[in-house]
Each structure stands twice: as C-alpha cells, then as structure tokens.
C-alpha cells in the first residue's frame, strides 16, 4: 500500500531545520498547489532558498525535487475512484463521450492559458534574435527533445541556419561551441532537467542568447535565460510528457514560425519553395 506522504511529513516534522519546517508547513497546507510549482517557486513561497527545499527533499529520503513531487502526487491520487492526475480529471466511471470532452477541454485550456501568458514585447524580441543570429540551435531532453526536433524541422523549411541533435552529449558539445549572438532555444516543461540546464550553462558561457520555453518563470533553467516564453499546461509528476504540455509548446513554435515567415516573407518564401521542391519527388 502506498504510504501517505503528508502523514510522513508530519511524522518527520521534529527532525526538520527551521527553514525545512517552513517548507513542510506550506506543503501540508497547499499539497495540490505544490504539484505545479517549480523548486524556485516553492522556495519563494516559503521565503527560503532553493537549497533548503532540496535539503527538505533529502530529509524525506527523496533523491530530488521531482521524486518528492511524485511521492506527494501518489498520496493525493484517488487510485480506486478515478484516474488521478489524468487530463481533464478523467474518472474510471466516465463514458467515452465524457472522456473525450474532458481531454479536449484540458488541451483547449492549455492553449488559452499559453496565449494569456504571451508577452508581445518578449515574443517580438525572440523573432528579431532569430533573424539576427548566425545560428539557431534547439535543445531538449525526452518529450522536449521531440518538440525541439519538430521546431528545427519546421524552421528548416524557411531558414537554413537552424540545428538540433538528439544525443545529450552531442547537445553539450554543440552548446559549448556556440558563439556570441547565436540563439539557443531550450525546451523544458519543468526547467529542472539536468542535461538541459547543463546545455543552457554551456551555451550561456559561450556567449549565446538563451531563449527558454518552459512552464515556470523561476527555475534552475530560467536562471540562465535572456528571454522566457511560458507554456500554460499544468502537468503533475505522474503526467510527465503529457499531450497538453506538448501542445502548448507546439502552439508557441507554430506562432514563432508564422510570425517569422510573415516578418521576413521575401527570404522565407524563396527558401520554402526550395525546400518544398527538394522533397517533391519523394512524395510521389
């Protein structure tokens, strides 16, 4: 039987430091809210440092913040009555029609929230950086890697200076060799993936402009960011790689592509004709 993590926190309370007790108090009072917070957001809400949150996770015998959130999520998931943190709070007793409607609403909500979080000044600056940069490199790990590859493939139709590689070691090498003025576009829902943060640090040290596409304003990743585009999907630890999170990121990619094409139509249209013609024979 899954141990109740909130009960475990209360039972361990006397072992916490003063800072860890602040974290424990906030978590026990706002468990559902914590599931959708980055480590930096939780630290800020508790008025402690990120390291205090990390030490709290270690005291609770978790390897890190993500494992802590997974344990907390499992304690909050009603295993017998529903499907827990699935899209749209789908329940086992729902009909197919109800399930379809709930998943649809969850995805629509993610898109609407992403649109509401969009800052035009930041977005337009990203478009300008894309145009000015000698090279645009897309980075990501796991589901975010597939998103990064889709972004590179889409932009390659209209802009030949885009690059993306799948292997995290090769990503690190590519990041380390970037130059001043080049753009590193980094996808990470949580902003806490080690390989992604490593690539961001290397690219930043190399002089590249760091553009992050992520859920949280404050995270270990955004500490390296020059510009941040926020996606609006709420994803619990049990939903890693959910479709709504990916859809929200793909919406931003599509918007970047469309605005870039619109802004620099003369050059993009010529490149689009060339790339379309290059694969025409393969489509027959």
């Amino acid at each position: 039987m899954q141990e109740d993590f909130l009960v475990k926190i209360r039972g361990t309370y006397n072992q916490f430091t003063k800072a860890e007790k602040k974290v424990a108090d906030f978590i026990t009072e706002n468990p559902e809210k914590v599931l959708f917070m980055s480590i930096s957001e939780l630290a800020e809400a508790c008025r402690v440092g990120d390291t205090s949150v990390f030490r709290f996770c270690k005291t609770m015998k978790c390897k890190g913040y993500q494992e802590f959130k997974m344990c907390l999520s499992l304690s909050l998931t009603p295993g017998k009555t529903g499907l827990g943190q699935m899209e749209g709070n789908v329940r086992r007793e729902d009909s197919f029609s109800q399930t379809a409607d709930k998943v649809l609403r969850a995805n629509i909500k993610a898109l609407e929230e992403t649109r509401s979080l969009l800052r035009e000044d930041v977005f337009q600056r990203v478009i300008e950086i894309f145009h000015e940069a000698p090279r645009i490199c897309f980075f990501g790990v796991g589901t975010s890697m597939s998103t990064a590859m889709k972004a590179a493939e889409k932009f390659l139709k209209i802009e030949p200076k885009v690059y993306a590689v799948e292997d995290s070691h090769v990503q690190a090498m590519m990041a380390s060799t970037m130059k001043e003025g080049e753009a590193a576009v980094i996808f990470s829902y949580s902003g806490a993936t080690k390989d992604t943060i490593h690539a961001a640090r290397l690219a930043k040290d190399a002089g590249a402009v760091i553009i992050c596409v992520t859920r949280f304003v404050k995270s270990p990743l955004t500490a390296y960011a020059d510009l941040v585009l926020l996606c609006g999907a709420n994803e619990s630890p049990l939903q890693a790689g959910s479709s709504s999170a990916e859809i929200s990121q793909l919406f931003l990619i599509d918007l970047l592509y469309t605005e870039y094409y619109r802004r620099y139509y003369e050059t993009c249209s010529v490149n689009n004709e060339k790339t379309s013609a290059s694969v025409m024979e393969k489509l027959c």
Side-chain angles (χ1 to χ4, degrees):
M1 183 178 178
Q2 175 66 35
E3 181 178 10
D4 189 323
F5 205 66
L6 290 174
V7 172
K8 185 178 179 181
I9 290 174
R10 296 186 187 100
T12 315
Y13 193 82
N14 64 339
Q15 300 177 31
F16 296 145
T17 64
K18 185 177 180 180
E20 289 173 342
K21 285 180 179 179
K22 291 182 179 180
V23 178
D25 290 340
F26 186 88
I27 291 168
T28 53
E29 292 172 8
N30 308 276
E32 291 87 0
K33 184 177 180 180
V34 171
L35 292 179
F36 305 107
M37 298 175 75
S38 69
I39 187 171
S40 298
E41 288 177 325
L42 178 57
E44 184 176 7
C46 300
R47 297 183 180 180
V48 300
D50 290 11
T51 53
S52 294
V53 177
F54 186 73
R55 282 198 300 269
F56 169 83
C57 296
K58 288 293 187 180
T59 303
M60 294 303 298
K61 308 299 181 184
C62 296
K63 294 179 181 179
Y65 185 61
Q66 294 304 314
E67 183 175 322
F68 154 72
K69 288 207 297 182
M70 181 168 290
C71 291
L72 178 62
S73 182
L74 286 169
S75 290
L76 298 176
T77 300
K80 293 184 179 180
T81 58
L83 298 180
Q85 302 297 329
M86 283 188 66
E87 287 91 336
N89 295 320
V90 175
R91 304 179 67 82
R92 291 176 64 185
E93 59 267 26
D94 287 345
S95 66
F96 171 76
S97 179
Q98 290 172 319
T99 300
D101 288 342
K102 287 183 177 181
V103 172
L104 176 62
R105 283 197 298 270
N107 289 329
I108 291 174
K109 182 179 178 181
L111 290 170
E112 290 176 339
E113 188 173 343
T114 301
R115 175 63 184 93
S116 69
L117 291 168
L118 201 58
R119 288 179 49 191
E120 186 175 350
D121 58 333
V122 174
F123 190 86
Q124 296 299 341
R125 182 56 188 146
V126 172
I127 295 295
E128 292 171 0
I129 289 170
F130 276 18
H131 181 64
E132 297 165 1
R135 182 169 60 149
I136 306 169
C137 299
F138 294 94
F139 297 89
V141 173
T143 302
S144 292
M145 179 69 258
S146 66
T147 306
M149 294 299 291
K150 288 174 184 175
E153 180 183 347
K154 193 172 185 68
F155 268 91
L156 191 58
K157 297 174 183 177
I158 59 172
E159 184 54 79
K161 60 184 180 182
V162 298
Y163 300 87
V165 291
E166 295 188 41
D167 185 85
S168 61
H169 292 85
V170 181
Q171 284 188 35
M173 289 187 283
M174 184 167 71
S176 68
T177 58
M178 296 191 75
K179 295 180 173 58
E180 187 173 348
E182 294 184 335
V185 186
I186 303 177
F187 295 89
S188 174
Y189 176 88
S190 69
T193 307
K194 289 183 179 179
D195 286 341
T196 307
I197 296 168
H198 182 58
R201 179 175 60 79
L202 291 172
K204 185 76 170 180
D205 291 344
V209 180
I210 310 300
I211 301 164
C212 294
V213 181
T214 185
R215 178 67 180 97
F216 305 106
V217 176
K218 291 187 177 182
S219 70
L221 176 62
T222 56
Y224 295 101
D226 295 295
L227 296 166
V228 177
L229 296 176
L230 295 174
C231 57
N234 282 329
E235 180 184 83
S236 82
L238 296 181
Q239 273 184 292
S242 73
S243 60
S244 59
E246 185 176 10
I247 286 169
S248 65
Q249 291 183 339
L250 291 175
F251 166 71
L252 289 173
I253 292 170
D254 207 17
L255 189 57
L256 284 168
Y257 172 88
T258 304
E259 180 63 10
Y260 190 88
Y261 200 139
R262 187 185 70 83
R263 180 87 69 89
Y264 307 107
Y265 178 79
E266 289 77 12
T267 302
C268 291
S269 60
V270 172
N271 288 333
N272 192 30
E273 287 181 14
K274 290 179 181 178
T275 54
S276 297
S278 71
V279 297
M280 193 62 68
E281 292 183 4
K282 299 179 181 294
L283 299 177
C284 295

